[in-house]
């Protein structure tokens, strides 16, 4: 364990729970440390933005940064609870694995999920991560962010091949994101895991911000053109309802972000489900990570 980090975190918690300003001597006595050590710890917290110092009294107090982060955590928790019924309904209607994800840097994080009960199913894990450029949920959120090419490069860094189908060219990825915005949904065509495809649609809050993505993971054997088109329509409909729950209202200003007519066009879906299951695998439930 990093003792310096642990000491800093313990100091932040102590200052917050104390609910009053503290001086160097207060911290030194509370933790049994030298005054010089306590002073250095408090100064570091101030420089990093976790504490402030009153210029008149020289006392220290926690900064509002703690409140800001706490509000963000609470918002994610609220969103998950509010959208869970929509995920459940989509899972019930389609029988596929449904998840809710959010964007964190170059990755997405799964916030919630419903597993498919079917013998052959795709798998994701709450709290798990995946590269945003390789999964449908991530592509949906990247598309909603409308980043230009330099910003996209800066966010994602080097594009890594996870399967032979992974997109490794930024121009090709940008074109894919433009296409995603125009049709209203994102696709993953075995770009993260072989045998696993997916669909993703952003979910917007009342301010028109894409705060999460509704995703569906589907084994490639169930992702033929007709099947994928029907599933995309269901995911988009569910995402519209979920956005409405968060207070989003469709209008001219938001039409480029979440089109009101989210209907897949001919050629949008590719038939990638003609492969039979891999030879040599025993029958029964197979789970592939999405």
């Amino acid at each position: 364990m990093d003792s310096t980090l642990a000491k800093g975190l313990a100091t932040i918690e102590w200052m917050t729970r104390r609910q009053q300003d503290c001086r160097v001597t207060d911290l030194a006595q509370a933790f049994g440390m030298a005054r010089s050590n306590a002073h250095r710890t408090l100064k570091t917290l101030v420089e990093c933005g976790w504490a402030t110092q009153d210029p008149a009294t020289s006392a220290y107090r926690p900064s509002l940064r703690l409140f800001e982060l706490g509000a963000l955590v609470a918002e994610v928790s609220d969103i998950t609870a509010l959208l869970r019924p929509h995920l459940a309904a989509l899972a019930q209607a389609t029988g596929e694995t449904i998840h809710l994800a959010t964007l964190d840097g170059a990755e997405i994080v799964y916030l919630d999920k419903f597993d498919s009960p079917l013998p052959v199913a795709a798998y994701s894990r709450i709290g798990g991560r995946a590269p945003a450029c390789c999964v449908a949920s991530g592509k949906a959120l990247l598309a909603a962010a409308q980043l230009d090419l330099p910003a996209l490069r800066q966010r994602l860094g080097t594009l890594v091949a996870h399967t032979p189908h992974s997109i490794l060219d930024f121009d090709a990825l940008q074109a894919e994101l433009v296409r995603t915005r125009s049709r209203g949904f994102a696709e993953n065509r075995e770009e993260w895991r072989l045998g696993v495809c997916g669909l993703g649609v952003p979910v917007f809050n009342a301010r028109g911000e894409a705060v999460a993505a509704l995703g569906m993971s589907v084994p490639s054997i169930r992702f033929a053109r007709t099947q994928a088109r029907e599933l995309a329509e269901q995911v988009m409909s569910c995402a519209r309802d979920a956005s409405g729950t968060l207070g989003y209202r469709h209008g001219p200003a938001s039409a480029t972000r979440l089109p009101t007519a989210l209907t897949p066009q001919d050629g949008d879906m590719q038939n990638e489900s003609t492969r039979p299951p891999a030879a040599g695998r025993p029958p029964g439930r197979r789970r592939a990570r999405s």
Side-chain angles (χ1 to χ4, degrees):
M1 180 175 67
D2 188 321
S3 59
T4 301
L5 176 61
K7 180 173 62 179
L9 293 174
T11 300
I12 292 173
E13 182 176 357
W14 174 79
M15 292 175 66
T16 304
R17 294 186 182 280
R18 178 182 168 87
Q19 295 189 331
Q20 58 181 301
D21 293 357
C22 74
R23 298 179 181 276
V24 172
T25 53
D26 297 326
L27 179 62
Q29 291 174 1
F31 286 86
M33 63 174 71
R35 280 176 53 88
S36 59
N37 198 350
H39 182 261
R40 185 166 55 251
T41 298
L42 289 169
K43 284 296 186 183
T44 299
L45 292 177
V46 171
E47 291 174 5
C48 293
W50 294 104
T52 60
Q53 185 177 21
D54 189 323
T57 64
S58 297
Y60 297 84
R61 66 174 65 94
S63 72
L64 287 176
R65 189 171 184 181
L66 290 170
F67 173 78
E68 293 169 0
L69 292 182
L72 289 174
V73 172
E75 182 178 1
V76 169
S77 300
D78 290 343
I79 288 172
T80 301
L82 286 170
L83 299 189
R84 190 152 229 269
H86 295 286
L87 270 67
L90 185 60
Q92 177 69 29
T94 64
E96 301 294 352
T97 297
I98 307 300
H99 51 252
L100 184 70
T102 190
L103 192 61
D104 183 24
E107 299 177 312
I108 58 106
V109 180
Y110 293 110
L111 303 176
D112 201 2
K113 62 168 289 191
F114 284 86
D115 279 328
S116 168
L118 300 175
V120 180
Y123 176 70
S124 60
R125 177 174 58 85
I126 296 177
R129 291 174 175 263
C133 59
C134 292
V135 295
S137 298
K139 287 184 187 180
L141 290 170
L142 289 173
Q146 302 192 54
L147 303 173
D148 60 20
L149 196 55
L152 188 64
R153 289 178 182 272
Q154 183 176 9
R155 175 180 279 269
L156 300 182
T158 303
L159 299 180
V160 178
H162 298 279
T163 77
H165 305 289
S166 300
I167 299 176
L168 301 180
D169 178 75
F170 272 100
D171 288 326
L173 177 60
Q174 185 73 300
E176 175 80 1
L177 298 181
V178 171
R179 185 165 172 250
T180 293
R181 283 195 296 273
S182 68
R183 68 185 178 182
F185 68 92
E187 264 189 297
N188 157 27
R189 299 179 290 275
E190 299 186 84
E191 297 161 51
W192 172 227
R193 292 290 183 257
L194 287 175
V196 180
C197 299
L199 298 163
V201 179
V203 176
F204 296 86
N205 64 14
R207 296 186 295 273
E209 302 164 335
V211 292
L214 187 65
M216 175 185 292
S217 295
V218 187
S220 59
I221 58 173
R222 292 200 295 273
F223 210 65
R225 174 178 294 188
T226 301
Q227 293 168 303
R229 179 182 292 113
E230 293 173 353
L231 291 174
E233 290 171 348
Q234 290 176 283
V235 176
M236 288 187 288
S237 176
C238 184
R240 282 195 296 268
D241 291 342
S243 296
T245 295
L246 299 184
Y248 180 77
R249 296 293 177 265
H250 305 298
S254 59
T256 58
R257 287 173 147 178
L258 189 62
T260 54
L262 299 177
T263 304
Q265 303 299 314
D266 290 341
D268 278 345
M269 299 296 184
Q270 298 184 16
N271 188 341
E272 300 169 9
S273 63
T274 55
R275 276 199 316 277
R281 289 187 178 178
R285 185 177 179 86
R286 296 192 300 255
R287 297 165 73 86
R289 292 182 64 82
S290 61

